[in-house]
Amino acid sequence: DARALRSRAALREALLALIAEKPLELISIREIALRAGVSFPTFYRQYPTRDALLDDIAASEIGELLAIPQPLMAQRDTRISSLAIVSFVSDRKDLWRTLLTTGATAAMREEFIRRSRDIAASQVRYNPGLPVDLMAPLVAGGMFEILSWWLRQTGDVPVGYVAQLLEILVIAPSVSRQDIALPKGAA
């Protein structure tokens, strides 16, 4: 119903605002509910735990992130795709730092790979000789590792540098047309 959707949206926004202010482990459910303007029981009607709320946010963020390169890849411009991905994360750096460098890391990696497989299975294959079930986890894992590495750095690593790493190590190799042919009888 509409009220439940509003409550969920308010809880998501409240947690995102709180993450920008302090570490996740210091944020209580009561604090999230208060910031969202909902009652404590309303929180539990929507999410069983704070981590379930974070998982919901993570799934949404990953969906948005992985949707960014799709229209750009039709143009085969790996540089713009890489920069768009890194800029998206940079705009939400506190949230992504929490998602990729804390206890949510394993779940985030799994969600990256799951979503990448879904996308790869439904999109045009730029390199048909590469098995989708191999490329999807490699691309997702590479993207995940580069973004995680960047967000763990204590110094300021420029967005352009991170985008260049992503392009050279992950995106360009996955879409470059290579003469790799599947062996006869392989699927």
Side-chain angles (χ1 to χ4, degrees), residues 119-182:
I119 290 168
S122 67
Q123 299 294 316
V124 171
R125 293 181 60 194
Y126 296 105
N127 198 337
L130 296 175
V132 172
D133 59 338
L134 174 62
M135 283 309 296
L138 284 173
V139 169
M143 183 184 301
F144 180 88
E145 290 302 326
I146 289 168
L147 294 173
S148 295
W149 168 83
W150 173 42
L151 296 170
R152 286 190 311 267
Q153 301 309 301
T154 54
D156 186 30
V157 179
V159 166
Y161 176 74
V162 179
Q164 192 174 23
L165 288 175
L166 186 61
E167 176 187 14
I168 292 167
L169 297 174
V170 177
I171 295 180
S174 70
V175 298
S176 67
R177 187 83 178 169
Q178 308 251 339
D179 290 329
I180 299 174
L182 283 173

